[in-house]
Amino acid sequence: MKLASLQQSRDGKLIVVSRDLKWAVSAQNIAPTMQYALDHWTDVEPILNDLYHALNRKVLENRFIFQPTHCASPLPRAFQWADGSAYVNHVELVRKARGAEMPKSFWQDPLIYQGMSDKFLNPTQPIEVEDLNWGVDFEAEIAVITDDVPMATSVKNAEKHIKLLMLVNDVSLRNLIPTELAKGFGFFQSKPSSAFSPVAVTPDELGESWKENKINNRLYVHLNQQLFGNPNAGVDMTFNFAQLIHHAAKSRQLTAGTIIGSGTVSNVDRLSGSCCIAEKRMLEIIEQGEPQTPFMQYGDSVKIEMFDADKHSIFGAIEQAVIPFIKH
């Protein structure tokens, strides 16, 4: 099943989207918003799924053309957005870039930070930045949305709580990070609003690509219409989504609508490219002694997308440009 939220009010208007992303139908008589659907998932999921199959059979007269530009992020705001760093290879490289050693424990104990969740960017909404000296970067990731997860949930039980998956652009202001983390209190100003793919999908939509709580497909990232990277999201993922949920729920319950991110997708195989500029810059430092690739400038654009075995877009694309922030 594929779901999306139209840009309407703070929490959007829930719609069901066809498998080929060409058609949609309102789900208002079932669940007015994505959050409502997640809060009542056991009751509404079978009804939404029936509507989804009817939409794919093209028997609904009230269907309309699906337009990603009319979408908010699937959850326009969320009770919790917790982003992990499941690709430890990426963590190691980026920490080297800012002169920080990586503890060996990072290979056994996942990293997670709690990010800004009160307002996400729309999938095609520009990234407004006041100062380019902050070092604007994209981070292409995958995320899951959970239902209610009890505290101290085991890894085995955690996978049952994964209800939807989507793509993420976790926008980062790289040059603000070192000073901020040096205070010992975590990210805040260096992590502004993230954007998510137009569509969120249930795990069964991924077919054989969904194995061991990972998506075994390539994630394509284009910077200014040029391929920047296409690593396989199922390769080199040190901690899968069930492990990340288990870690997040160690000392707290996770409420329905919690978003758990994978962190920047990264492969040890350098031929697959990178999913963020910081990683590429670090590789350039290692190979050439200094970084060659600048961070994003005004007018630069990023596109993040994933395709199935038949080359069809699964989630739709995140497409964003960097623009100046204008004070009003």
Side-chain angles (χ1 to χ4, degrees):
M1 179 168 58
K2 298 192 176 187
L3 302 174
S5 295
L6 295 181
Q7 297 175 30
Q8 179 175 305
S9 76
R10 288 190 173 187
D11 295 305
K13 175 183 177 181
L14 185 65
I15 59 174
V16 176
V17 182
S18 62
R19 182 171 286 114
D20 60 10
L21 305 184
K22 292 182 178 179
W23 298 96
V25 63
S26 172
Q28 290 299 283
N29 61 334
I30 304 170
T33 66
M34 183 74 79
Q35 184 61 52
Y36 182 96
L38 291 160
D39 285 339
H40 304 85
W41 190 257
T42 301
D43 296 326
V44 306
E45 188 272 338
I47 308 171
L48 289 170
N49 204 38
D50 287 344
L51 184 62
Y52 176 64
H53 289 303
L55 179 62
N56 286 320
R57 293 197 303 271
K58 301 178 181 179
V59 298
L60 299 177
E61 294 183 358
N62 59 339
R63 62 177 179 159
F64 54 88
I65 296 172
F66 176 62
Q67 300 185 61
T69 54
H70 292 175
C71 288
S73 284
L75 277 170
R77 56 178 175 170
F79 289 115
Q80 182 161 224
W81 157 230
D83 197 15
S85 281
Y87 300 87
V88 180
N89 162 70
H90 165 78
V91 181
E92 187 172 40
L93 284 172
V94 173
R95 285 179 68 90
K96 281 184 180 179
R98 60 174 188 260
E101 291 295 323
M102 192 182 80
K104 292 182 180 180
S105 63
F106 282 19
W107 291 97
Q108 292 85 38
D109 193 30
L111 288 171
I112 289 183
Y113 82 91
Q114 195 159 352
M116 174 182 174
S117 64
D118 53 317
K119 177 65 175 75
F120 296 128
L121 298 177
N122 301 333
T124 57
Q125 186 174 351
I127 302 166
E128 294 183 289
V129 179
E130 186 175 5
D131 188 345
L132 289 177
N133 290 323
W134 292 345
V136 186
D137 199 358
F138 52 84
E139 293 193 61
E141 309 181 9
I142 299 164
V144 298
I145 307 176
T146 74
D147 62 3
D148 289 312
V149 181
M151 186 170 73
T153 293
S154 67
V155 173
K156 182 178 180 180
N157 288 330
E159 65 182 84
K160 302 173 185 177
H161 295 284
I162 298 172
K163 299 307 174 187
L164 295 165
L165 296 101
M166 52 190 180
L167 305 182
V168 192
N169 180 16
D170 178 39
V171 180
S172 293
L173 303 175
R174 295 295 186 185
N175 294 336
L176 297 184
I177 290 177
T179 302
E180 191 160 53
L181 292 188
K183 295 177 180 179
F185 220 54
F187 298 113
F188 193 81
Q189 293 170 336
S190 53
K191 290 287 188 176
S193 294
S194 299
F196 295 83
S197 52
V199 173
V201 311
T202 49
D204 60 289
E205 281 294 319
L206 299 167
E208 295 183 358
S209 295
W210 180 245
K211 295 178 181 178
E212 299 178 347
N213 299 298
K214 305 175 184 180
I215 303 181
N216 294 275
N217 285 341
R218 291 190 175 274
L219 183 59
Y220 286 80
V221 181
H222 287 80
L223 176 62
N224 296 329
Q225 293 78 53
Q226 299 296 315
L227 182 65
F228 194 85
N230 62 343
N232 190 311
V235 175
D236 302 318
M237 189 180 190
T238 308
F239 306 103
N240 65 32
F241 281 110
Q243 291 170 311
L244 291 176
I245 293 169
H246 162 72
H247 180 76
K250 178 178 180 178
S251 63
R252 66 183 72 182
Q253 175 182 332
L254 308 180
T255 192
T258 290
I259 304 172
I260 302 288
S262 67
T264 306
V265 176
S266 178
N267 286 171
V268 174
D269 176 14
R270 306 306 180 204
L271 296 178
S272 62
S274 299
C275 280
C276 73
I277 295 174
E279 183 175 294
K280 185 172 183 180
R281 285 168 61 90
M282 186 60 232
L283 292 171
E284 291 168 345
I285 291 172
I286 294 171
E287 295 169 2
Q288 304 172 47
E290 60 181 10
Q292 305 294 318
T293 305
F295 289 117
M296 296 184 79
Q297 305 297 306
Y298 294 137
D300 284 352
S301 63
V302 61
K303 183 177 182 180
I304 301 169
E305 196 166 13
M306 181 177 282
F307 302 90
D308 63 19
D310 297 319
K311 309 299 182 184
H312 297 141
S313 182
I314 300 172
F315 305 91
I318 299 171
E319 297 187 70
Q320 296 179 279
V322 176
I323 65 172
F325 170 72
I326 306 298
K327 293 182 180 179
H328 298 290

